[in-house]
Amino acid sequence: MIPGMNPKQMKQMERQMKKMGMEMKDLPDVKEVIIRFEDKELVIPDAEVNLMNVMGQETYQVTGTAVEVEIDAEIVIPDEDIEMVANQAGVSKVDAEEALISTNGDLAEAILKLSQ
């Protein structure tokens, strides 16, 4: 339901929408809506969600208060990189992996860091 509309207005609007080939319905029991970006998420707990169908095209309307959550990107270091850094710097694979993680995967920087 659209905020501020009484049930009579809502019924009139639904009739007009149906005449134009539009259908709108509430999605019940929605717990939360999450919109994911590269580096963050918008989380809308207890969101009200409406589904509008206009000639086969579905549109979702989400109403609620969004909370922004930052995402910590986890670096995946390939085994080949770990082996190369370990061999070049003369250290264990564990030390090489730690150096690569601390340098965000930069091979040259990790080797320099371990060679000091």
Side-chain angles (χ1 to χ4, degrees):
M1 187 162 169
I2 298 174
M5 275 194 153
N6 66 43
K8 185 177 179 181
Q9 291 172 320
M10 193 68 187
K11 286 286 183 195
Q12 289 173 341
M13 186 180 81
E14 285 174 0
R15 279 190 294 249
Q16 291 296 329
M17 289 172 62
K18 201 167 213 167
K19 286 180 185 177
M20 295 185 291
M22 300 168 63
E23 180 185 350
M24 187 168 166
K25 65 180 181 179
D26 292 332
L27 297 180
D29 303 324
V30 174
K31 296 191 185 318
E32 71 180 0
V33 174
I34 301 172
I35 302 171
R36 288 195 175 96
F37 297 90
E38 251 336 278
D39 59 344
K40 66 181 176 182
E41 293 179 343
L42 290 179
V43 179
I44 307 166
D46 299 322
E48 289 185 32
V49 181
N50 296 309
L51 171 60
M52 186 183 305
N53 189 322
V54 181
M55 294 183 244
Q57 180 70 37
E58 291 184 340
T59 303
Y60 293 86
Q61 177 182 349
V62 179
T63 306
T65 304
V67 178
E68 192 172 303
V69 178
E70 295 294 321
I71 297 175
D72 291 333
E74 189 173 313
I75 297 173
V76 177
I77 309 289
D79 290 337
E80 300 84 38
D81 290 357
I82 295 170
E83 284 185 40
M84 186 173 82
V85 169
N87 290 337
Q88 290 292 318
V91 298
S92 70
K93 289 182 180 181
V94 173
D95 290 339
E97 185 175 15
E98 287 174 3
L100 282 163
I101 290 171
S102 71
T103 60
N104 292 321
D106 187 317
L107 298 171
E109 189 177 341
I111 293 168
L112 288 172
K113 182 177 182 176
L114 291 168
S115 298
Q116 294 177 2

